[in-house]
Amino acid sequence: MPELVERERLVAEKEALGLWLTGHPVDVNRAELDALVGGDLATILGPPKPSGGGQYGATKKNVLVGGLVGDFRKRGNRVSFKLEDRSGRLEVVLFEDVFERYRHLLSADQVVLVEGGLRYDDFLNDWSLRATRVEELSSARQRYASHVVVLWNQTSASGKPEFVSDLRSALSSSKDGSCQVSVEYRGTKAAARLSLGDDWRVKPTTELLEQLAGLVGEKGVKVVYPPGVAKSGGFGNGSSNYRSH
């Protein structure tokens, strides 16, 4: 049997054990989230409590954060849920109109981007985010990603003779997108970056990335975002998460 991709393995761990044992689901998308929002929750939120104490309901700043959708609760005309990654958790509050607009995206263990006003809540004694916009990571990827880079290493599993036909088959299932595909070839005597033509532009769906990871391993697939793409699209400060070797 082929190895499970990391996301599937973590889901299975939680189903069997009630917890994630070998990692956190957000780790799978950490580089992408860093490119789109600028860091993990701890980095964006800063100190646990602002200096000089908090003021209930006072907006600190508008931010964009990313993480995993957790526990829900309803209070009056508001719905809240916990957004989490390995670095921490954040209370996200949605008023009824915002919740109705985005409720279809807010399923448990879904990775999302949330934009809104960050406040220090004295009642919670913690940061709280009043959400104005929610987007699935997969949707943001398809709008912003510029490249998918696939590592073809002849000395590893991706060096098997049928690799090219398997790659063609995987890419064919997601063609007619706007994301360029490059293959980074590493052989025993040569190395090169091969950019595929426009006919091979793809939609960088989660399913495609998992197919490619099945061919070359999860570390052999990278999604590239242009520097500043999130800022130009109305989301935080973005930067590229790929560097040439």
Side-chain angles (χ1 to χ4, degrees):
M1 295 290 291
E3 287 287 336
L4 293 175
V5 297
E6 187 173 358
R7 180 181 63 83
E8 292 176 337
R9 188 185 71 246
L10 291 170
V11 168
E13 286 178 358
K14 190 167 186 182
E15 287 179 351
L17 305 173
L19 53 84
W20 298 298
L21 184 65
T22 59
H24 191 286
V26 173
D27 293 346
V28 178
N29 306 112
R30 184 70 268 163
E32 288 191 84
L33 289 174
D34 286 348
L36 288 167
V37 307
D40 60 21
L41 288 175
T43 300
I44 294 172
L45 299 181
K49 188 170 185 176
S51 59
Q55 180 181 351
Y56 182 78
T59 299
K60 177 176 182 287
K61 57 181 177 180
N62 194 71
V63 299
L64 176 74
V65 293
L68 196 73
V69 176
D71 300 332
F72 280 86
R73 65 176 178 172
K74 184 173 176 59
R75 292 188 299 179
N77 66 338
R78 297 185 298 174
V79 174
S80 65
F81 68 90
K82 293 293 186 181
L83 188 75
E84 66 173 280
D85 62 17
R86 187 186 286 274
S87 73
R89 308 181 83 193
L90 173 65
E91 178 98 349
V92 177
V93 178
L94 303 95
F95 281 92
E96 191 170 5
D97 59 329
V98 179
F99 177 69
E100 289 301 323
R101 193 180 313 142
Y102 297 113
R103 65 185 304 167
H104 63 290
L105 304 179
L106 299 174
S107 56
D109 296 340
Q110 178 74 42
V111 179
V112 296
L113 309 179
V114 185
E115 187 176 20
L118 183 66
R119 308 152 183 268
Y120 192 83
D121 190 324
D122 284 338
F123 179 76
L124 296 173
N125 196 31
D126 205 350
W127 292 109
S128 174
L129 184 72
R130 181 174 293 181
T132 57
R133 182 181 178 188
V134 181
E135 183 171 8
E136 288 179 301
L137 173 60
S138 59
S139 172
R141 179 193 302 124
Q142 292 190 53
R143 290 202 296 127
Y144 294 125
S146 62
H147 279 73
V148 172
V149 180
V150 180
L151 175 61
W152 178 10
N153 191 340
Q154 279 207 322
T155 62
S156 69
S158 60
K160 59 187 180 182
E162 60 270 28
F163 171 74
V164 173
S165 59
D166 289 346
L167 178 63
R168 180 188 296 113
S169 177
L171 296 178
S172 295
S173 65
S174 296
K175 286 176 65 175
D176 301 324
S178 60
C179 192
Q180 188 175 355
V181 177
S182 296
V183 178
E184 188 170 287
Y185 172 81
R186 296 181 191 171
T188 56
K189 297 182 179 180
R193 172 78 68 85
L194 312 171
S195 295
L196 304 190
D198 289 344
D199 289 346
W200 290 96
R201 288 181 179 264
V202 297
K203 297 176 182 177
T205 62
T206 298
E207 292 74 15
L208 172 62
L209 298 183
E210 290 183 350
Q211 278 186 281
L212 296 175
L215 297 178
V216 298
E218 291 177 350
K219 294 184 178 179
V221 182
K222 296 184 184 293
V223 181
V224 184
Y225 293 88
V229 64
K231 185 175 182 180
S232 66
F235 277 139
N237 291 315
S239 60
S240 174
N241 67 322
Y242 181 78
R243 297 291 182 270
S244 298
H245 297 281

